[in-house]
Every structure is written in structure tokens, then in C-alpha cells.
Amino acid sequence: MELGALPCYRPAVHDLRDPSVQRAQLKVDVRAGEPDWTPARQELWRRITAHDFEPDTPFNFTQRLARDHGWSLDEARAAIEAYRRFCFLAMVSPTPVTPSEVVDEVWHQHLIYSRDYWTIWCGERLQSPLHHDPTPGGPDAQMTYRRQYAETLALHERFFGPPSPDLWPATHIRFAGPRYFVADRRDWLTLPRPRAWLRRLLRR
């Protein structure tokens, strides 16, 4: 379903100013047989898409994300769009969700922008706190996150269609091992893998 052509439904008779009522309306109930894009979820997505990650500053959020990860601006914008969708899914999912590594990198950076994250993003856009809980480690946690990630992919397909494999790799690839690490370029020389270099070259 195209995001710009979401179906419109008659608003439910509830007071959306009550945060508890609003959060209850957002959660997906597979037994209810309700439409996916309810008025409350449409309004949530409208608020999320209204958030500005590229304010008119000399060095904005998107530019920093691109610089720190060696991404083009278009790649950074695609990652931010995936992050928007993930946060929407976190609000509507009845169970915990797990991000892809690309989405997690955007989330990490957003947490650094603490005023924007907690006051604007969580306070006004999501209208609910969204905490980033690190893994406790161990095989049990690994199994839990694998299951949650697969469920997140399925929920993404339900609301936004099949996720891009570049941004949301399959579960077995996502948990094959860490893809990102911090390296001091004064001490390390990093070279692109030939396949990754060719893929980026052909995108231009």
C-alpha cells in the first residue's frame, strides 16, 4: 500500500486526548479484524513523517549520519525513513520489536540528540517513551531477538509492504554477526569489499 494513499476511516468515538485511550487504539489486535490504518494510526504516522531531520543548520542530523557511516545523503535519508517506520511499528506492535542494524545506527544517533529525541520525538511525535534496551547477552536473548526481528519484518510488510533487504536483511543475515564497529582512522585502514563497492558504484 502506498503511504500517500492511505484509506480514510470514520474516527472512532473516543477522546484521543486521553493518552491511555490513544495507546490502546494504536496497538494491533489480530483477533479484532479491524483495518490496519485506523484513524489513530494514520495520525501517528502523520506526526512521525512531519519530524524534520534536516533543519537549516550548518551540520544537521542527516549530514552527520551520512558522514559518520560513510553513506551518501540519499542512503542516510533512506535509513532515516526506515527508522521512522520502525518507530511507528514499535508504537503499534502488541509485542516488543527489534530493529535492523541500519535502523539501530539511526536510533543510536537520535538518542545523542537527547532534547529532540525525548522532548519532540517521544513527547510530541510518538506521544510515548521509546526506550533502547541493550541486549543482556547469551543464547536465550539471541533467540528472543531473532523471533522479535522476524515478527517486526512481518509487521513491516503488513503496514508498509516488503522491507528493503538493504535496510532490513533477512533474519539469518541480521544475526550472522555485527556489521558495524567504531574505528579510529588514524590507526586503521578500511577498504570496501569488491561486491559492496560495485553495488554502490552502480547505484550512481
Side-chain angles (χ1 to χ4, degrees), residues 48-56 61 84 116 125:
I48 288 174
T49 57
H51 194 79
D52 188 7
F53 285 103
E54 297 187 48
D56 187 17
F61 183 96
R84 291 185 198 271
D116 183 73
R125 306 308 188 203

Side-chain angles (χ1 to χ4, degrees), residues 143-163:
M143 289 181 61
T144 296
Y145 287 120
R146 286 178 69 96
R147 174 181 52 78
Q148 289 177 184
Y149 183 74
E151 292 171 351
T152 304
L153 293 180
L155 196 61
H156 186 291
E157 185 159 1
R158 176 172 178 172
F159 281 94
F160 300 110

Side-chain angles (χ1 to χ4, degrees), residues 86 95-100 103 107 144-153 168 174-175:
F86 168 76
T95 57
V97 292
T98 295
S100 67
V103 170
W107 197 2
T144 296
Y145 287 120
R146 286 178 69 96
R147 174 181 52 78
Q148 289 177 184
Y149 183 74
E151 292 171 351
T152 304
L153 293 180
W168 291 93
R174 165 69 174 88
F175 292 92

Side-chain angles (χ1 to χ4, degrees), residues 130-202:
L130 180 59
H131 293 283
H132 188 297
D133 296 318
T135 176
D140 289 344
Q142 182 79 349
M143 289 181 61
T144 296
Y145 287 120
R146 286 178 69 96
R147 174 181 52 78
Q148 289 177 184
Y149 183 74
E151 292 171 351
T152 304
L153 293 180
L155 196 61
H156 186 291
E157 185 159 1
R158 176 172 178 172
F159 281 94
F160 300 110
S164 165
D166 288 339
L167 300 167
W168 291 93
T171 304
H172 70 282
I173 298 174
R174 165 69 174 88
F175 292 92
R179 295 172 56 200
Y180 296 99
F181 64 94
V182 177
D184 188 334
R185 290 190 293 180
R186 294 172 300 183
D187 299 325
W188 293 87
L189 174 65
T190 58
L191 298 173
R193 292 178 183 268
R195 186 170 61 179
W197 179 80
L198 286 172
R199 186 167 61 242
R200 293 191 64 176
L201 183 66
L202 292 172

Side-chain angles (χ1 to χ4, degrees), residues 83-128:
Y83 171 67
R84 291 185 198 271
R85 295 180 178 192
F86 168 76
C87 291
F88 172 87
L89 297 178
M91 294 297 102
V92 304
S93 176
T95 57
V97 292
T98 295
S100 67
E101 286 186 300
V102 167
V103 170
D104 202 36
E105 290 299 310
V106 183
W107 197 2
H108 286 174
Q109 178 167 300
H110 203 183
L111 286 163
I112 295 172
Y113 289 69
S114 59
R115 290 182 178 85
D116 183 73
Y117 183 82
W118 288 112
T119 303
I120 308 300
W121 187 249
C122 292
E124 299 180 12
R125 306 308 188 203
L126 305 183
Q127 297 183 358
S128 177

